[in-house]
């Protein structure tokens, strides 16, 4: 399966292409440091400027949070979870880190496939 990745949309001329890339791309929002053994919040949001459809045959089916090759968490959605209105899927994951992390998020659109975020490095301190 092809993995799609975000491209800086300010470098793309066509509005439709910017919309397509942005609304499918997961973005990780979290602090850059965490305390070992303490609950740590990681937010994954799809899209920054453009909302994604929430139709019966075109919606975000799931969002995953990964640390390297380890799947840490997953949120699953059904059509209509956003009220059948275009929107930004947003998930808060709470994890308890034990060592430094290299986080990525994956999201699956039922029409446009698998999308991966940029990696976010989190330093875990004692």
């Amino acid at each position: 399966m092809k993995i799609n990745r975000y491209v800086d949309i300010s470098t793309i001329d066509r509005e439709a292409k910017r919309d397509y890339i942005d609304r499918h791309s997961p973005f990780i929002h979290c602090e850059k440091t965490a305390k070992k053994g303490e609950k740590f919040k990681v937010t994954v949001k799809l899209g920054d400027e453009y909302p994604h459809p929430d139709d019966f045959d075109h919606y975000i089916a799931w969002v995953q949070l990964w640390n390297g090759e380890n799947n840490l968490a997953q949120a699953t959605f059904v059509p209509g979870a956003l009220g059948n209105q275009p929107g930004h899927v947003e998930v808060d994951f709470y994890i308890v880190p034990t060592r430094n992390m290299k986080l990525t998020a994956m999201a699956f659109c039922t029409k446009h496939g698998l999308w991966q975020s940029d990696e976010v490095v989190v330093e875990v301190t004692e």
Side-chain angles (χ1 to χ4, degrees):
M1 179 181 292
K2 178 184 176 192
I3 298 175
N4 299 290
R5 297 192 48 104
Y6 178 75
V7 175
D8 183 356
I9 62 173
S10 68
T11 65
I12 298 173
D13 292 333
R14 289 183 28 235
E15 178 73 18
K17 183 77 170 175
R18 287 195 306 265
D19 179 343
Y20 173 76
I21 292 170
D22 182 77
R23 69 179 164 160
H24 290 102
S25 297
F27 296 93
I28 294 176
H29 302 277
C30 66
E31 298 295 325
K32 299 294 182 206
T33 60
K35 291 216 180 243
K36 182 178 180 177
E38 292 185 13
K39 191 171 12 174
F40 180 69
K41 179 180 174 182
V42 180
T43 300
V44 177
K45 181 179 175 188
L46 265 71
D48 188 38
E49 295 180 32
Y50 299 90
H52 191 280
D54 184 33
D55 300 326
F56 177 73
D57 63 342
H58 186 194
Y59 64 97
I60 300 299
W62 49 259
V63 176
Q64 296 175 333
L65 180 64
W66 291 76
N67 179 21
E69 295 180 356
N70 298 313
N71 186 353
L72 300 175
Q74 177 173 315
T76 305
F77 301 93
V78 297
L82 297 178
N84 297 109
Q85 299 293 318
H88 297 281
V89 170
E90 188 171 338
V91 181
D92 291 336
F93 293 110
Y94 292 88
I95 58 174
V96 179
T98 58
R99 59 178 177 246
N100 291 347
M101 299 180 291
K102 293 182 178 180
L103 300 176
T104 55
M106 302 292 286
F108 185 77
C109 170
T110 58
K111 191 171 183 179
H112 298 106
L114 189 60
W115 292 77
Q116 181 178 1
S117 72
D118 289 337
E119 183 178 88
V120 173
V121 175
V122 177
E123 180 184 352
V124 177
T125 60
E126 294 291 325

